[in-house]
Every structure is written in structure tokens, then in C-alpha cells.
Amino acid sequence: MTDRALAVVRAGALTTVQDTGRPGHAHLGVPRSGALDAPAAALVNRLVGNPPGAAVLETTLDGCALRPRSAVTVAVGGAPCPVAVDGRPAPWGAPVHVPAGALLEVGTAVSGVRGYVAVSGGIAVEPVLGSRSTDLLSGLGPPPLRNGAVLPLGRPGVPHARVDVAPQPAPPAELVLRVTLGPRDDWCAPEAVRTFTSRAYRVSPASNRIGLRTDGPALTRARTGELPSEGMVLGAVQVPPDGRPVVFLADHPTTGGYPVIGVVRAADLPAAAQARPGTPVRFVAVRHR
Amino acid sequence: MNVLRVGEDALLVEVASGEEAQALHAELLRRRAEGSLRAREIVPAARTVLLDGLADRARALSELSAAEVPPAPPRAGDVVELPVRYDGPDLGEVAAHWGVPEPEVARIHAGTEFRVAFCGFAPGFGYLTGLPARYHVPRRDTPRTAVPAGSVALAGPYTGVYPRSSPGGWRLIGTTDAVLWDHTRVPAALLSPGTRVRFVDRGRS
């Protein structure tokens, strides 16, 4: 292996390789996948001079530690956290030079959930159907990082609209998700639709890359029986038998049989990726455009 | 045909039957190929086709609401043959449901021409239709935590083959060595919506 590689010293709770995902294959049962906080992933790429779709690492709450075999530029963004190179504090949300063999430590998030680590040249694992993303639902792409793993890096290109510092939104203290109702809101009781769009929910600890699960008032059905399986979109809010809404995130199944009461606006999903368990959630109905 | 708006740039088109959904899917693929429909995803399912990532939803909505869908085109193309050993642990239960001796399950199943109605659940998992209604069986009351890869299974109106080991509640009647999904192969999925499929009885090993 060349020295364009990155050794994983501490993989963290769940660190995966992510890019912009593999849309276009839903008819084969392939989830779109990709970074949950896509703007944060695109920004750290810009900070190191990568194209916005280069593969980055997505960490979950407790960061990771990495040792590049050659000198690289890295940037850490998404959930704010301490960053250190060989024990010395380094800036978060800005390009950082890491010498060959030095230890880059991405610490535990002080707020938010998902951190993004871009490395100049990008993570160059073999693409699957045009994407390097780890898909936890179907197992496509590289497995989640393990201690001792070595990841290949691509060659840094010509710096590409590079920025030195950039504002990043703070993780939400309250998550407000705009939803357009349907296509199966008629499967829920009318008072359930009112409950859904007026009462407070909280982010459940059972949330993951497949779905943001919520705790709160259960939504009752107006219709019993099974809905035949139908195609699901990103941001779809499914109502499972327990009545607690689940917002579909990037690794969501491509078809499903529980009614979808509404769909969250795509622009609101990056904040959902950063909402910690317990964060209050409000679903606000907006009209179809 | 009922066209429902989904989120910001998707439509869910609802039709009366699985056959109509397959015909609509074929028609939408034709329109996308000729350039009159621009959609990132066209996802057929049991009674619907989802159009996601529409470049112009308002136009698609008005065109679809007025559309006449021709019946599915004649089943062109090759039939994918899947060799099967009819040795599944639920073969006896299925035989009892059908009211036939076990070897008859293999004869009926291998004598049926299937068509992939839609995919989902896992990459390469196809929902195959073709068995007459009297052979539809309910799912198991308790799903298995691990169904081996290659298991040939029945549930409701569908037959399916598990591309890899996973939990599952379908009734297992046999095993195939066919590789349903290989991301290094082109195409990666052996079965895609519309594919015709026959199971070939290779005995009980």
C-alpha cells in the first residue's frame, strides 16, 4: 500500500465513510445512503480543497483518532468537538495540517451528534454503485471503521474553491421539522393529524442512520389493515403500529408498508442528524409547493 | 389512477392492481427513456409507482392525471432460471396449506412463470408474483432471526429469494446457489422489476 493512507487508531462508537450517496437505485432495493448532515460534509471537503462529493468520515458522538501515513490537510466539522494533533489543540471547522505519522484526535462532541472529518484527497475506498458510502441497512459500502483498519486516500487535486473558515449552524436546542402532509395522512385519525402537528415529541435514543425515532403522544389509525408496500422517500414520516412517528433518514428502506403521515422538508434534515436524544421535536405542517 | 403528492418533488401513483402497477412502471420507464419524464427514481411496488426527484412535478402531475396506460408490453426478454433444491424447513407447512403432498409443492412452484413485481427489503430482493391466489400463504407468526442466503420463500402473493442472510418471516421451501446480488457484476441485481423468472427443480439434494 502507498503512503496515501490513514490508519484508524480509535474507531469511536460508530464511524462510517460517507459521500453524497447512491441515489437512482431505489427500484433495486438500494437505499440512497450518504452523509446525514450533507452541508457539513460538503463544507469540510471545501476546507481541505476537495470536491464537495469526496468521501469523508462521519463520527457519532465520541469522535475517532486517526494517523495519516503521509502529510495531509484535514478539517473537522458538523458536531462541535475538541480537535488535537499529537496532543496539541487544533482548530475545529478550519483546515489543519497533520504531518505524516502524527495522531489526529477528534474528541467527543460538546453538542450535536455527527462529526465530519475530511482529508485532502478524500477517503478512496472502492465505490459500490458509484458511491463510497457505508449503508447500515443493506450493508453496501465499507463496513463501519474498526480499530487498526487502514483506509486508502486519494490524491489531492487542484484546490477547489477552498475556504479557510466558514460559519456552521449550531446543533438544534429544539428541532422544528416542516412537513407536507400525505400521502397517507388519511390512514391516521383526524385528531392524530392534529396531535402530530401541534404536540411536542422528543428524539428517541433508538434513532440511527435509518430513522429519527421519536417519543411522544401515539398517533391512532383511522384505518386498520395493512397498507400494501409502497415506495418511500427521504424524510418520510412513517407511523408504525406503536403510533410514534419515525422520520426516514439516508439509510431508510426503499419500500415500506406503514402509512406515511407526512414528509419532512429536505432542508430540515441536516438539523435532524444533529439532534441528540431528548431534544424536543415539533412537526409543523406546511403546504405543498 | 390516483396521483398523490409526496414531499417536495415526488408523486405516488396509485392503481387498482399489481398488474396495473407493472404496466404503469413499464410505461413510465418508456417515457423516461424517450425524455418526456425526468425523474431520479421510479420505484414500483404492490399497487403503486413512486416517482421521486421529479424535475417538474406540476407537469408530471397534470400529464399523469390524464394518462392512459397501455397494458404491460408483451413479456419480452429472457427468462432468468434459478435452480432450486426444494428442501426448505417450511415445505411441510406449505404443503399442508396447499392441501397437496410435499413433492407437489415443488412441481407447482417450478411449473409457474414468475415476474418481479418490485424490489425492496434488501438489495437484490425481488417480490415475485405468479402463483395463483389459492397458493398464497400467510407469513410465519414468529419471524426467524436468521434466514440463510439463497433461501426460496413464500409470503402472501409473493415468492422471494434472500440475497444474503437476514431475519425474515417468510415460509422457506427451498434453496438456490444463484447469486442474487453482486455489486461487482453488471448488473449487480440478478432480478429487477419486470424480470421473468422460472425456478428449476434440482431435487432435494
Side-chain angles (χ1 to χ4, degrees), chain A residues 23-30 32 128-129 137-138 140 180 183-184 228-233 254-255 263 265-266 288-289, chain B residues 4-8 10 12 14 40-43 45-48 50 52 57 119-120 122-124 164 181 183 189 192-193:
Chain A
H25 305 282
H27 63 290
L28 300 176
V30 175
R32 86 167 59 200
V128 174
L129 298 179
L137 182 73
S138 63
L140 299 186
T180 48
R184 300 297 178 194
S229 271
E230 58 192 26
M232 291 285 144
V233 300
T254 59
T255 59
V263 179
R265 287 261 174 99
H288 282 286
R289 283 186 284 201
Chain B
L4 301 166
R5 287 181 295 179
V6 179
E8 292 158 275
L12 185 69
E14 200 173 25
R40 186 176 60 239
E41 310 271 11
I42 301 179
V43 188
R47 298 277 186 280
T48 57
L50 174 74
D52 194 9
R57 178 165 75 174
C119 295
R164 62 185 186 127
W181 176 266
H183 71 258
S192 57

Side-chain angles (χ1 to χ4, degrees), chain B residues 80-100:
Chain B
V80 171
E81 294 198 337
L82 299 176
V84 182
R85 296 182 302 280
Y86 284 95
D87 57 1
D90 301 331
L91 194 65
E93 282 172 29
V94 170
H97 267 286
W98 289 7
V100 300

Side-chain angles (χ1 to χ4, degrees), chain A residues 149-240:
Chain A
V150 176
L151 299 171
L153 296 176
R155 301 225 158 265
V158 178
H160 186 100
R162 180 161 163 171
V163 290
D164 286 336
V165 284
Q168 299 196 49
E174 181 190 34
L175 187 59
V176 178
L177 299 176
R178 291 169 294 172
V179 291
T180 48
L181 291 176
R184 300 297 178 194
D185 50 320
D186 58 333
W187 279 63
C188 297
E191 64 272 18
V193 176
R194 281 196 298 276
T195 300
F196 172 61
T197 53
S198 61
R199 300 276 297 276
Y201 286 82
R202 284 185 185 277
V203 175
S204 157
S207 300
N208 55 23
R209 284 186 45 86
I210 297 166
L212 181 92
R213 293 171 186 279
T214 62
D215 292 323
L219 303 179
T220 49
R221 285 264 196 102
R223 297 171 64 168
T224 51
E226 277 189 56
L227 177 71
S229 271
E230 58 192 26
M232 291 285 144
V233 300
L234 184 68
V237 185
Q238 263 201 347
V239 182

Side-chain angles (χ1 to χ4, degrees), chain A residues 26-134:
Chain A
H27 63 290
L28 300 176
V30 175
R32 86 167 59 200
S33 198
L36 287 195
D37 185 345
L43 179 62
V44 289
N45 270 326
R46 287 188 69 193
L47 289 169
V48 302
N50 287 344
V56 301
L57 298 179
E58 179 182 280
T59 64
T60 311
L61 287 171
D62 72 341
C64 64
L66 308 162
R67 199 185 291 283
R69 292 182 175 173
S70 60
V72 292
T73 303
V74 303
V76 181
C81 65
V83 180
V85 176
D86 275 344
R88 276 190 286 274
W92 174 89
V96 173
H97 178 76
V98 181
L103 182 68
L104 169 73
E105 289 174 281
V106 178
T108 296
V110 294
S111 61
V113 177
R114 291 174 171 97
Y116 292 88
V117 185
V119 183
S120 48
I123 309 294
V125 295
E126 202 56 39
V128 174
L129 298 179
S131 166
R132 298 182 164 93
S133 287
T134 301

Side-chain angles (χ1 to χ4, degrees), chain B residues 112-126:
Chain B
T112 302
E113 184 175 301
F114 292 89
R115 182 178 169 117
V116 180
F118 61 99
C119 295
F121 175 65
F125 186 90

Side-chain angles (χ1 to χ4, degrees), chain B residues 50-75:
Chain B
L50 174 74
L51 298 168
D52 194 9
L54 284 164
D56 185 346
R57 178 165 75 174
R59 180 180 151 192
L61 180 62
S62 69
E63 287 182 0
L64 282 167
S65 301
E68 293 283 327
V69 176
R75 298 183 174 192

